[in-house]
Amino acid sequence: MTTTTELTLFADYFQIHVSDADSDGDLSDAWTDQAVADHLAVARDALGIGTVVNVNVSVTLVVLPHEPSDDSSEFDHVVEASLDVPSGRLMVLGCTDYAPDAATFEVAPGWNRVRVSQSNLARAAQADVDSDESPETTEKIRIQVWAASESPATITKRWS
């Protein structure tokens, strides 16, 4: 069964986080220069998604029963990584949000694949701190999650 949830998250420090609900979410060593360029910091049970703005972003979380088809041509930037979710509860939040208040979602316990597809990046970057005042300029992030064995992170499409 596929479930879709719309969220608005504050991308403080130009990032949002996806992690196991029981994770401490420590990505301090994961934010390398390459991770910043890739918009993706990877730890075993936490991912940092880099944004182009430091304000609210529109997030669509989609939990899927299997790997989705490739629709990367519809997005500006697309990355994938594996995430260990031993609790079976996935947490999605801004990096400075209070974890106990964060949105959580049921996923398959164990390894999951996370595909992050970002759009509206040029308009959001141009509008900068005012980008979240209009849907036409708000950065959009779709996060798709499905059960899958661990595999290396990939950059499918790079925005520059």
Side-chain angles (χ1 to χ4, degrees):
M1 183 172 111
T2 298
T3 60
T4 302
T5 305
E6 302 289 333
L7 304 167
T8 299
L9 297 176
F10 180 49
D12 204 8
Y13 297 99
F14 297 90
Q15 60 187 288
I16 62 171
H17 292 177
V18 177
S19 67
D20 180 81
D22 293 338
S23 169
D24 67 5
D26 184 12
L27 290 163
S28 53
D29 292 335
W31 279 115
T32 63
D33 289 342
Q34 188 62 54
V36 171
D38 294 343
H39 296 218
L40 184 66
V42 180
R44 180 181 180 92
D45 61 357
L47 300 175
I49 299 167
T51 63
V52 299
V53 295
N54 191 38
V55 294
N56 287 329
V57 295
S58 174
V59 177
T60 303
L61 180 82
V62 185
V63 178
L64 299 156
H66 53 76
E67 181 176 359
S69 59
D70 178 10
D71 61 358
S72 57
S73 63
E74 299 175 27
F75 294 89
D76 299 327
H77 188 85
V78 181
V79 295
E80 278 188 26
S82 293
L83 180 68
D84 189 18
V85 188
S87 72
R89 293 179 301 117
L90 184 77
M91 183 168 54
V92 181
L93 69 165
C95 81
T96 57
D97 287 348
Y98 183 56
D101 293 339
T104 58
F105 305 90
E106 297 295 320
V107 298
W111 285 102
N112 282 264
R113 193 69 176 167
V114 178
R115 180 180 298 162
V116 179
S117 304
Q118 295 172 269
S119 62
N120 217 27
L121 298 184
R123 285 182 171 179
Q126 183 177 13
D128 195 30
V129 297
D130 297 324
S131 67
D132 62 351
E133 293 181 11
S134 166
E136 289 78 32
T137 56
T138 299
E139 180 171 348
K140 294 172 178 45
I141 302 169
R142 183 186 67 192
I143 302 169
Q144 296 170 298
V145 182
W146 65 96
S149 58
E150 181 183 14
S151 60
T154 59
I155 311 303
T156 303
K157 185 174 185 179
R158 184 180 298 279
W159 181 73
S160 53

mmCIF file with all atom_site columns, all heavy atoms in Angstrom, residues 69-90:
data_model
loop_
_atom_site.group_PDB
_atom_site.id
_atom_site.type_symbol
_atom_site.label_atom_id
_atom_site.label_alt_id
_atom_site.label_comp_id
_atom_site.label_asym_id
_atom_site.label_entity_id
_atom_site.label_seq_id
_atom_site.pdbx_PDB_ins_code
_atom_site.Cartn_x
_atom_site.Cartn_y
_atom_site.Cartn_z
_atom_site.occupancy
_atom_site.B_iso_or_equiv
_atom_site.pdbx_formal_charge
_atom_site.auth_seq_id
_atom_site.auth_comp_id
_atom_site.auth_asym_id
_atom_site.auth_atom_id
_atom_site.pdbx_PDB_model_num
ATOM 1   N N   . SER A 1 69 ? 9.140  3.856  -10.412 1.00 0.00 ? 69 SER A N   1
ATOM 2   C CA  . SER A 1 69 ? 9.778  4.062  -11.709 1.00 0.00 ? 69 SER A CA  1
ATOM 3   C C   . SER A 1 69 ? 10.592 5.351  -11.678 1.00 0.00 ? 69 SER A C   1
ATOM 4   O O   . SER A 1 69 ? 10.398 6.214  -10.820 1.00 0.00 ? 69 SER A O   1
ATOM 5   C CB  . SER A 1 69 ? 8.726  4.114  -12.816 1.00 0.00 ? 69 SER A CB  1
ATOM 6   O OG  . SER A 1 69 ? 7.827  5.167  -12.563 1.00 0.00 ? 69 SER A OG  1
ATOM 7   N N   . ASP A 1 70 ? 11.498 5.477  -12.616 1.00 0.00 ? 70 ASP A N   1
ATOM 8   C CA  . ASP A 1 70 ? 12.369 6.649  -12.699 1.00 0.00 ? 70 ASP A CA  1
ATOM 9   C C   . ASP A 1 70 ? 11.621 7.793  -13.377 1.00 0.00 ? 70 ASP A C   1
ATOM 10  O O   . ASP A 1 70 ? 11.257 7.691  -14.543 1.00 0.00 ? 70 ASP A O   1
ATOM 11  C CB  . ASP A 1 70 ? 13.630 6.296  -13.492 1.00 0.00 ? 70 ASP A CB  1
ATOM 12  C CG  . ASP A 1 70 ? 14.569 7.473  -13.677 1.00 0.00 ? 70 ASP A CG  1
ATOM 13  O OD1 . ASP A 1 70 ? 14.365 8.530  -13.042 1.00 0.00 ? 70 ASP A OD1 1
ATOM 14  O OD2 . ASP A 1 70 ? 15.514 7.339  -14.463 1.00 0.00 ? 70 ASP A OD2 1
ATOM 15  N N   . ASP A 1 71 ? 11.402 8.873  -12.639 1.00 0.00 ? 71 ASP A N   1
ATOM 16  C CA  . ASP A 1 71 ? 10.785 10.065 -13.213 1.00 0.00 ? 71 ASP A CA  1
ATOM 17  C C   . ASP A 1 71 ? 11.689 11.281 -12.994 1.00 0.00 ? 71 ASP A C   1
ATOM 18  O O   . ASP A 1 71 ? 11.225 12.410 -12.848 1.00 0.00 ? 71 ASP A O   1
ATOM 19  C CB  . ASP A 1 71 ? 9.378  10.301 -12.651 1.00 0.00 ? 71 ASP A CB  1
ATOM 20  C CG  . ASP A 1 71 ? 9.365  10.506 -11.144 1.00 0.00 ? 71 ASP A CG  1
ATOM 21  O OD1 . ASP A 1 71 ? 10.441 10.427 -10.507 1.00 0.00 ? 71 ASP A OD1 1
ATOM 22  O OD2 . ASP A 1 71 ? 8.275  10.760 -10.592 1.00 0.00 ? 71 ASP A OD2 1
ATOM 23  N N   . SER A 1 72 ? 12.999 11.030 -12.954 1.00 0.00 ? 72 SER A N   1
ATOM 24  C CA  . SER A 1 72 ? 13.966 12.085 -12.638 1.00 0.00 ? 72 SER A CA  1
ATOM 25  C C   . SER A 1 72 ? 13.926 13.250 -13.624 1.00 0.00 ? 72 SER A C   1
ATOM 26  O O   . SER A 1 72 ? 14.315 14.360 -13.267 1.00 0.00 ? 72 SER A O   1
ATOM 27  C CB  . SER A 1 72 ? 15.381 11.518 -12.557 1.00 0.00 ? 72 SER A CB  1
ATOM 28  O OG  . SER A 1 72 ? 15.741 10.881 -13.761 1.00 0.00 ? 72 SER A OG  1
ATOM 29  N N   . SER A 1 73 ? 13.423 13.031 -14.831 1.00 0.00 ? 73 SER A N   1
ATOM 30  C CA  . SER A 1 73 ? 13.351 14.120 -15.808 1.00 0.00 ? 73 SER A CA  1
ATOM 31  C C   . SER A 1 73 ? 12.410 15.232 -15.344 1.00 0.00 ? 73 SER A C   1
ATOM 32  O O   . SER A 1 73 ? 12.504 16.366 -15.821 1.00 0.00 ? 73 SER A O   1
ATOM 33  C CB  . SER A 1 73 ? 12.907 13.590 -17.177 1.00 0.00 ? 73 SER A CB  1
ATOM 34  O OG  . SER A 1 73 ? 11.597 13.057 -17.082 1.00 0.00 ? 73 SER A OG  1
ATOM 35  N N   . GLU A 1 74 ? 11.533 14.938 -14.400 1.00 0.00 ? 74 GLU A N   1
ATOM 36  C CA  . GLU A 1 74 ? 10.579 15.923 -13.890 1.00 0.00 ? 74 GLU A CA  1
ATOM 37  C C   . GLU A 1 74 ? 11.142 16.754 -12.732 1.00 0.00 ? 74 GLU A C   1
ATOM 38  O O   . GLU A 1 74 ? 10.453 17.632 -12.208 1.00 0.00 ? 74 GLU A O   1
ATOM 39  C CB  . GLU A 1 74 ? 9.303  15.220 -13.424 1.00 0.00 ? 74 GLU A CB  1
ATOM 40  C CG  . GLU A 1 74 ? 8.581  14.476 -14.530 1.00 0.00 ? 74 GLU A CG  1
ATOM 41  C CD  . GLU A 1 74 ? 7.396  13.684 -14.016 1.00 0.00 ? 74 GLU A CD  1
ATOM 42  O OE1 . GLU A 1 74 ? 6.821  14.062 -12.975 1.00 0.00 ? 74 GLU A OE1 1
ATOM 43  O OE2 . GLU A 1 74 ? 7.062  12.672 -14.651 1.00 0.00 ? 74 GLU A OE2 1
ATOM 44  N N   . PHE A 1 75 ? 12.396 16.498 -12.325 1.00 0.00 ? 75 PHE A N   1
ATOM 45  C CA  . PHE A 1 75 ? 12.977 17.142 -11.151 1.00 0.00 ? 75 PHE A CA  1
ATOM 46  C C   . PHE A 1 75 ? 14.316 17.791 -11.488 1.00 0.00 ? 75 PHE A C   1
ATOM 47  O O   . PHE A 1 75 ? 14.939 17.481 -12.494 1.00 0.00 ? 75 PHE A O   1
ATOM 48  C CB  . PHE A 1 75 ? 13.143 16.109 -10.026 1.00 0.00 ? 75 PHE A CB  1
ATOM 49  C CG  . PHE A 1 75 ? 11.826 15.597 -9.521  1.00 0.00 ? 75 PHE A CG  1
ATOM 50  C CD1 . PHE A 1 75 ? 11.223 14.487 -10.100 1.00 0.00 ? 75 PHE A CD1 1
ATOM 51  C CD2 . PHE A 1 75 ? 11.168 16.241 -8.488  1.00 0.00 ? 75 PHE A CD2 1
ATOM 52  C CE1 . PHE A 1 75 ? 9.993  14.025 -9.657  1.00 0.00 ? 75 PHE A CE1 1
ATOM 53  C CE2 . PHE A 1 75 ? 9.936  15.789 -8.036  1.00 0.00 ? 75 PHE A CE2 1
ATOM 54  C CZ  . PHE A 1 75 ? 9.349  14.683 -8.626  1.00 0.00 ? 75 PHE A CZ  1
ATOM 55  N N   . ASP A 1 76 ? 14.762 18.676 -10.572 1.00 0.00 ? 76 ASP A N   1
ATOM 56  C CA  . ASP A 1 76 ? 16.044 19.360 -10.750 1.00 0.00 ? 76 ASP A CA  1
ATOM 57  C C   . ASP A 1 76 ? 17.216 18.555 -10.207 1.00 0.00 ? 76 ASP A C   1
ATOM 58  O O   . ASP A 1 76 ? 18.319 18.614 -10.743 1.00 0.00 ? 76 ASP A O   1
ATOM 59  C CB  . ASP A 1 76 ? 16.028 20.715 -10.017 1.00 0.00 ? 76 ASP A CB  1
ATOM 60  C CG  . ASP A 1 76 ? 14.970 21.665 -10.529 1.00 0.00 ? 76 ASP A CG  1
ATOM 61  O OD1 . ASP A 1 76 ? 14.674 21.634 -11.734 1.00 0.00 ? 76 ASP A OD1 1
ATOM 62  O OD2 . ASP A 1 76 ? 14.424 22.446 -9.711  1.00 0.00 ? 76 ASP A OD2 1
ATOM 63  N N   . HIS A 1 77 ? 16.989 17.832 -9.115  1.00 0.00 ? 77 HIS A N   1
ATOM 64  C CA  . HIS A 1 77 ? 18.070 17.124 -8.430  1.00 0.00 ? 77 HIS A CA  1
ATOM 65  C C   . HIS A 1 77 ? 17.485 15.849 -7.830  1.00 0.00 ? 77 HIS A C   1
ATOM 66  O O   . HIS A 1 77 ? 16.450 15.907 -7.158  1.00 0.00 ? 77 HIS A O   1
ATOM 67  C CB  . HIS A 1 77 ? 18.644 18.022 -7.317  1.00 0.00 ? 77 HIS A CB  1
ATOM 68  C CG  . HIS A 1 77 ? 19.876 17.494 -6.669  1.00 0.00 ? 77 HIS A CG  1
ATOM 69  N ND1 . HIS A 1 77 ? 21.137 17.703 -7.186  1.00 0.00 ? 77 HIS A ND1 1
ATOM 70  C CD2 . HIS A 1 77 ? 20.045 16.767 -5.530  1.00 0.00 ? 77 HIS A CD2 1
ATOM 71  C CE1 . HIS A 1 77 ? 22.038 17.139 -6.389  1.00 0.00 ? 77 HIS A CE1 1
ATOM 72  N NE2 . HIS A 1 77 ? 21.396 16.555 -5.388  1.00 0.00 ? 77 HIS A NE2 1
ATOM 73  N N   . VAL A 1 78 ? 18.141 14.707 -8.067  1.00 0.00 ? 78 VAL A N   1
ATOM 74  C CA  . VAL A 1 78 ? 17.629 13.426 -7.573  1.00 0.00 ? 78 VAL A CA  1
ATOM 75  C C   . VAL A 1 78 ? 18.792 12.597 -7.020  1.00 0.00 ? 78 VAL A C   1
ATOM 76  O O   . VAL A 1 78 ? 19.787 12.378 -7.713  1.00 0.00 ? 78 VAL A O   1
ATOM 77  C CB  . VAL A 1 78 ? 16.902 12.630 -8.687  1.00 0.00 ? 78 VAL A CB  1
ATOM 78  C CG1 . VAL A 1 78 ? 16.363 11.309 -8.142  1.00 0.00 ? 78 VAL A CG1 1
ATOM 79  C CG2 . VAL A 1 78 ? 15.786 13.459 -9.305  1.00 0.00 ? 78 VAL A CG2 1
ATOM 80  N N   . VAL A 1 79 ? 18.638 12.158 -5.760  1.00 0.00 ? 79 VAL A N   1
ATOM 81  C CA  . VAL A 1 79 ? 19.648 11.330 -5.106  1.00 0.00 ? 79 VAL A CA  1
ATOM 82  C C   . VAL A 1 79 ? 18.949 10.164 -4.406  1.00 0.00 ? 79 VAL A C   1
ATOM 83  O O   . VAL A 1 79 ? 17.750 10.233 -4.124  1.00 0.00 ? 79 VAL A O   1
ATOM 84  C CB  . VAL A 1 79 ? 20.477 12.142 -4.081  1.00 0.00 ? 79 VAL A CB  1
ATOM 85  C CG1 . VAL A 1 79 ? 21.299 13.211 -4.783  1.00 0.00 ? 79 VAL A CG1 1
ATOM 86  C CG2 . VAL A 1 79 ? 19.595 12.769 -3.015  1.00 0.00 ? 79 VAL A CG2 1
ATOM 87  N N   . GLU A 1 80 ? 19.707 9.110  -4.134  1.00 0.00 ? 80 GLU A N   1
ATOM 88  C CA  . GLU A 1 80 ? 19.182 7.953  -3.404  1.00 0.00 ? 80 GLU A CA  1
ATOM 89  C C   . GLU A 1 80 ? 20.217 7.468  -2.418  1.00 0.00 ? 80 GLU A C   1
ATOM 90  O O   . GLU A 1 80 ? 21.413 7.551  -2.677  1.00 0.00 ? 80 GLU A O   1
ATOM 91  C CB  . GLU A 1 80 ? 18.880 6.786  -4.356  1.00 0.00 ? 80 GLU A CB  1
ATOM 92  C CG  . GLU A 1 80 ? 17.594 6.850  -5.059  1.00 0.00 ? 80 GLU A CG  1
ATOM 93  C CD  . GLU A 1 80 ? 17.275 5.568  -5.826  1.00 0.00 ? 80 GLU A CD  1
ATOM 94  O OE1 . GLU A 1 80 ? 17.772 4.474  -5.450  1.00 0.00 ? 80 GLU A OE1 1
ATOM 95  O OE2 . GLU A 1 80 ? 16.531 5.667  -6.798  1.00 0.00 ? 80 GLU A OE2 1
ATOM 96  N N   . ALA A 1 81 ? 19.734 6.924  -1.304  1.00 0.00 ? 81 ALA A N   1
ATOM 97  C CA  . ALA A 1 81 ? 20.624 6.311  -0.324  1.00 0.00 ? 81 ALA A CA  1
ATOM 98  C C   . ALA A 1 81 ? 19.862 5.262  0.465   1.00 0.00 ? 81 ALA A C   1
ATOM 99  O O   . ALA A 1 81 ? 18.637 5.289  0.534   1.00 0.00 ? 81 ALA A O   1
ATOM 100 C CB  . ALA A 1 81 ? 21.184 7.368  0.627   1.00 0.00 ? 81 ALA A CB  1
ATOM 101 N N   . SER A 1 82 ? 20.612 4.362  1.057   1.00 0.00 ? 82 SER A N   1
ATOM 102 C CA  . SER A 1 82 ? 20.022 3.365  1.943   1.00 0.00 ? 82 SER A CA  1
ATOM 103 C C   . SER A 1 82 ? 19.981 3.913  3.353   1.00 0.00 ? 82 SER A C   1
ATOM 104 O O   . SER A 1 82 ? 20.839 4.695  3.761   1.00 0.00 ? 82 SER A O   1
ATOM 105 C CB  . SER A 1 82 ? 20.842 2.082  1.905   1.00 0.00 ? 82 SER A CB  1
ATOM 106 O OG  . SER A 1 82 ? 20.726 1.480  0.633   1.00 0.00 ? 82 SER A OG  1
ATOM 107 N N   . LEU A 1 83 ? 18.960 3.486  4.091   1.00 0.00 ? 83 LEU A N   1
ATOM 108 C CA  . LEU A 1 83 ? 18.759 3.957  5.462   1.00 0.00 ? 83 LEU A CA  1
ATOM 109 C C   . LEU A 1 83 ? 18.287 2.781  6.309   1.00 0.00 ? 83 LEU A C   1
ATOM 110 O O   . LEU A 1 83 ? 17.310 2.116  5.953   1.00 0.00 ? 83 LEU A O   1
ATOM 111 C CB  . LEU A 1 83 ? 17.714 5.077  5.471   1.00 0.00 ? 83 LEU A CB  1
ATOM 112 C CG  . LEU A 1 83 ? 17.370 5.687  6.817   1.00 0.00 ? 83 LEU A CG  1
ATOM 113 C CD1 . LEU A 1 83 ? 18.566 6.466  7.371   1.00 0.00 ? 83 LEU A CD1 1
ATOM 114 C CD2 . LEU A 1 83 ? 16.172 6.623  6.675   1.00 0.00 ? 83 LEU A CD2 1
ATOM 115 N N   . ASP A 1 84 ? 18.971 2.539  7.405   1.00 0.00 ? 84 ASP A N   1
ATOM 116 C CA  . ASP A 1 84 ? 18.565 1.476  8.319   1.00 0.00 ? 84 ASP A CA  1
ATOM 117 C C   . ASP A 1 84 ? 17.517 2.030  9.284   1.00 0.00 ? 84 ASP A C   1
ATOM 118 O O   . ASP A 1 84 ? 17.766 3.020  9.978   1.00 0.00 ? 84 ASP A O   1
ATOM 119 C CB  . ASP A 1 84 ? 19.787 0.957  9.090   1.00 0.00 ? 84 ASP A CB  1
ATOM 120 C CG  . ASP A 1 84 ? 19.482 -0.293 9.890   1.00 0.00 ? 84 ASP A CG  1
ATOM 121 O OD1 . ASP A 1 84 ? 18.460 -0.960 9.612   1.00 0.00 ? 84 ASP A OD1 1
ATOM 122 O OD2 . ASP A 1 84 ? 20.273 -0.612 10.790  1.00 0.00 ? 84 ASP A OD2 1
ATOM 123 N N   . VAL A 1 85 ? 16.343 1.417  9.286   1.00 0.00 ? 85 VAL A N   1
ATOM 124 C CA  . VAL A 1 85 ? 15.239 1.849  10.148  1.00 0.00 ? 85 VAL A CA  1
ATOM 125 C C   . VAL A 1 85 ? 14.818 0.645  11.008  1.00 0.00 ? 85 VAL A C   1
ATOM 126 O O   . VAL A 1 85 ? 13.783 0.041  10.777  1.00 0.00 ? 85 VAL A O   1
ATOM 127 C CB  . VAL A 1 85 ? 14.044 2.390  9.309   1.00 0.00 ? 85 VAL A CB  1
ATOM 128 C CG1 . VAL A 1 85 ? 13.001 3.024  10.216  1.00 0.00 ? 85 VAL A CG1 1
ATOM 129 C CG2 . VAL A 1 85 ? 14.503 3.371  8.248   1.00 0.00 ? 85 VAL A CG2 1
ATOM 130 N N   . PRO A 1 86 ? 15.660 0.262  11.982  1.00 0.00 ? 86 PRO A N   1
ATOM 131 C CA  . PRO A 1 86 ? 15.353 -0.936 12.768  1.00 0.00 ? 86 PRO A CA  1
ATOM 132 C C   . PRO A 1 86 ? 14.043 -0.852 13.536  1.00 0.00 ? 86 PRO A C   1
ATOM 133 O O   . PRO A 1 86 ? 13.396 -1.872 13.759  1.00 0.00 ? 86 PRO A O   1
ATOM 134 C CB  . PRO A 1 86 ? 16.554 -1.068 13.709  1.00 0.00 ? 86 PRO A CB  1
ATOM 135 C CG  . PRO A 1 86 ? 17.263 0.233  13.676  1.00 0.00 ? 86 PRO A CG  1
ATOM 136 C CD  . PRO A 1 86 ? 16.926 0.887  12.372  1.00 0.00 ? 86 PRO A CD  1
ATOM 137 N N   . SER A 1 87 ? 13.615 0.351  13.917  1.00 0.00 ? 87 SER A N   1
ATOM 138 C CA  . SER A 1 87 ? 12.375 0.494  14.684  1.00 0.00 ? 87 SER A CA  1
ATOM 139 C C   . SER A 1 87 ? 11.129 0.357  13.805  1.00 0.00 ? 87 SER A C   1
ATOM 140 O O   . SER A 1 87 ? 10.030 0.166  14.317  1.00 0.00 ? 87 SER A O   1
ATOM 141 C CB  . SER A 1 87 ? 12.332 1.861  15.370  1.00 0.00 ? 87 SER A CB  1
ATOM 142 O OG  . SER A 1 87 ? 12.103 2.896  14.424  1.00 0.00 ? 87 SER A OG  1
ATOM 143 N N   . GLY A 1 88 ? 11.301 0.488  12.475  1.00 0.00 ? 88 GLY A N   1
ATOM 144 C CA  . GLY A 1 88 ? 10.149 0.486  11.584  1.00 0.00 ? 88 GLY A CA  1
ATOM 145 C C   . GLY A 1 88 ? 9.383  1.802  11.611  1.00 0.00 ? 88 GLY A C   1
ATOM 146 O O   . GLY A 1 88 ? 8.302  1.912  11.042  1.00 0.00 ? 88 GLY A O   1
ATOM 147 N N   . ARG A 1 89 ? 9.950  2.829  12.264  1.00 0.00 ? 89 ARG A N   1
ATOM 148 C CA  . ARG A 1 89 ? 9.338  4.155  12.323  1.00 0.00 ? 89 ARG A CA  1
ATOM 149 C C   . ARG A 1 89 ? 10.321 5.169  11.769  1.00 0.00 ? 89 ARG A C   1
ATOM 150 O O   . ARG A 1 89 ? 11.395 5.372  12.329  1.00 0.00 ? 89 ARG A O   1
ATOM 151 C CB  . ARG A 1 89 ? 8.949  4.512  13.763  1.00 0.00 ? 89 ARG A CB  1
ATOM 152 C CG  . ARG A 1 89 ? 7.833  3.638  14.318  1.00 0.00 ? 89 ARG A CG  1
ATOM 153 C CD  . ARG A 1 89 ? 7.467  3.966  15.766  1.00 0.00 ? 89 ARG A CD  1
ATOM 154 N NE  . ARG A 1 89 ? 8.633  3.817  16.630  1.00 0.00 ? 89 ARG A NE  1
ATOM 155 C CZ  . ARG A 1 89 ? 9.195  4.822  17.326  1.00 0.00 ? 89 ARG A CZ  1
ATOM 156 N NH1 . ARG A 1 89 ? 8.695  6.033  17.273  1.00 0.00 ? 89 ARG A NH1 1
ATOM 157 N NH2 . ARG A 1 89 ? 10.246 4.600  18.073  1.00 0.00 ? 89 ARG A NH2 1
ATOM 158 N N   . LEU A 1 90 ? 9.942  5.793  10.668  1.00 0.00 ? 90 LEU A N   1
ATOM 159 C CA  . LEU A 1 90 ? 10.764 6.788  9.992   1.00 0.00 ? 90 LEU A CA  1
ATOM 160 C C   . LEU A 1 90 ? 10.369 8.178  10.466  1.00 0.00 ? 90 LEU A C   1
ATOM 161 O O   . LEU A 1 90 ? 9.182  8.509  10.513  1.00 0.00 ? 90 LEU A O   1
ATOM 162 C CB  . LEU A 1 90 ? 10.549 6.681  8.478   1.00 0.00 ? 90 LEU A CB  1
ATOM 163 C CG  . LEU A 1 90 ? 11.392 7.590  7.615   1.00 0.00 ? 90 LEU A CG  1
ATOM 164 C CD1 . LEU A 1 90 ? 12.810 7.036  7.517   1.00 0.00 ? 90 LEU A CD1 1
ATOM 165 C CD2 . LEU A 1 90 ? 10.777 7.680  6.219   1.00 0.00 ? 90 LEU A CD2 1
#
